[in-house]
Amino acid sequence: MGGTIEVLVPGGQANPGPPLGPELGPTPVDVQAVVSEINEQTAAFDGTEVPVTVTYDDDGSFDIDVGVPPTAALVKDELGFETGSGRPQAEFVADMSIDQLVTVADQKLPDLLAYDTRGAAKEVAGTCVSLGVTIEGEDARTFKQRVEDGEFDEQLGSA
């Protein structure tokens, strides 16, 4: 019969306690083996919340599918702040360089609807608007137009 468990765990820091332990406890799976493999696969996300899906069978075998953290979490991690602005249209909490934006866009690209880094960067910029993050010193709401005007063709490739 088997089953599937979906949880958010801190990258590289999963442990047998909640949320994994209580979910996996009643299953035939070796909880410590699952935790070890999750930590191995999520080590690159060091502490950032990562969506993980554990699929298990009755014989105790399991597969782990690691997703990509939410865009907001990647932006916060890249820029080193904890919470976004309470008034993102007026108060800004950080400034993101185009290189940092490209890094986050490339990490998130497999999970987005965008076809390329250029489109992914526009989606990440939308998250920056919600968080109160500026891009290259300007309001993130102007980013799409700046991309269309060719300001970042060197970093994002031309359209």
Side-chain angles (χ1 to χ4, degrees), residues 5-10 13-25 31 49:
I5 297 168
E6 295 180 1
V7 292
L8 273 177
V9 297
Q13 300 172 13
N15 62 59
L20 281 173
E23 293 283 336
L24 290 172
V31 176
E49 293 284 305

Side-chain angles (χ1 to χ4, degrees), residues 26-147:
T27 70
V29 174
D30 176 359
V31 176
Q32 194 56 48
V34 172
V35 168
S36 295
E37 188 163 332
I38 288 173
N39 285 336
E40 189 177 299
Q41 290 187 29
T42 63
F45 294 113
D46 189 33
T48 303
E49 293 284 305
V50 182
V52 174
T53 303
V54 179
T55 306
Y56 62 90
D57 292 319
D58 287 333
D59 64 1
S61 63
F62 62 90
D63 286 313
I64 294 174
D65 181 37
V66 176
V68 179
T71 305
L74 292 174
V75 170
K76 289 177 192 176
D77 190 48
E78 182 70 25
L79 298 178
F81 67 92
E82 293 294 316
T83 59
S85 172
R87 297 178 45 219
Q89 311 299 327
E91 295 174 8
F92 302 106
V93 295
D95 183 55
M96 184 175 242
S97 73
I98 187 63
D99 293 330
Q100 290 172 312
L101 184 80
V102 168
T103 298
V104 172
D106 285 341
Q107 286 177 317
K108 195 66 183 167
L109 186 58
D111 268 10
L112 298 176
L113 297 174
Y115 296 113
D116 56 17
T117 301
R118 186 182 194 88
K122 291 178 187 177
E123 290 191 44
V124 172
T127 301
C128 289
V129 170
S130 301
L131 290 172
V133 172
T134 57
I135 299 171
E136 293 286 332
E138 292 188 30
D139 191 324
R141 291 175 286 184
T142 66
F143 182 74
K144 183 177 178 186
Q145 188 57 51
R146 293 165 69 196
V147 168

